[in-house]
Amino acid sequence: MKKIMSVLALLAMTSAPASADTYRFSYSKLFTQLKHNTEEGHPDIGVAYFMISADSGQVCPISRAWMRKKEHYEEFTIPASQALPLPLDNQLRQVNPDVFVETPSELNCDISFQVLVDKPVGNILTSQQVRDWLPQMDAMMENLGGMFASWFMPKTQGVVIHFAPSVAGKIINSAGQDYTIKNHQAIIDASVLGQGAKLSLPATPIKVSPWLPKNG
């Protein structure tokens, strides 16, 4: 990974704001984790890349991202989750374009991948949906971790539901237990969710990721 000045990276393209940093990555290296999205055993679960603040651990907003190889150029549309929407393509892996990501300069960001639900999630979730995701998340994390990952990796016990910064309030559980949204997210522990429960969300989540209990 290389961090470069935006004005040098963009050259003849539109100049970036002075307060932005641009990072450059090799597509073929990012492909290493993306390829797990095509494997069997986790049809609802995928992996995506995010820019993460080294200081706070929070997701850095992406102001702009694009791929370039000589005269070929493609700009990405960034989703609300701030996931880097890279295509999964073996031909691109062979061509190996540079991937550029622009973030606010004061955040000191680096790239990281995250396991998450790879299907649209609405305003209503059922306890069965959540429980169906857990073994799929474990399967994906074992694929990412390699042959011996299952020996030391804790099992997924629930999910973290992430919302846009403007969303506040609670997730209402039909079984009677509500979940307060803190720091734009709520943790759902599947072991105490209750059978047949329905969760009413105050807004469509921007992503749903695994929750692993901390030891001790």
Side-chain angles (χ1 to χ4, degrees), residues 10-23:
L10 292 174
L11 297 176
M13 294 181 286
T14 303
S15 297
S19 60
D21 282 334
T22 301
Y23 298 78

Side-chain angles (χ1 to χ4, degrees), residues 196-208:
K198 288 187 178 181
L199 302 176
S200 298
L201 282 55
T204 301
I206 58 175
K207 65 179 178 180
V208 178

Side-chain angles (χ1 to χ4, degrees), residues 71-94:
E71 71 276 12
H72 299 287
Y73 169 83
E74 179 180 351
E75 187 156 349
F76 300 124
T77 299
I78 307 302
S81 67
Q82 298 300 305
L84 184 59
L86 286 172
L88 182 59
D89 191 305
N90 270 307
Q91 290 185 338
L92 275 178
R93 182 176 61 86
Q94 297 296 327

Side-chain angles (χ1 to χ4, degrees), residues 4-7 10 15-22 63 102-106:
I4 61 178
M5 294 300 294
S6 296
V7 292
L10 292 174
S15 297
S19 60
D21 282 334
T22 301
S63 54
E102 185 180 281
T103 64
S105 60
E106 69 273 11

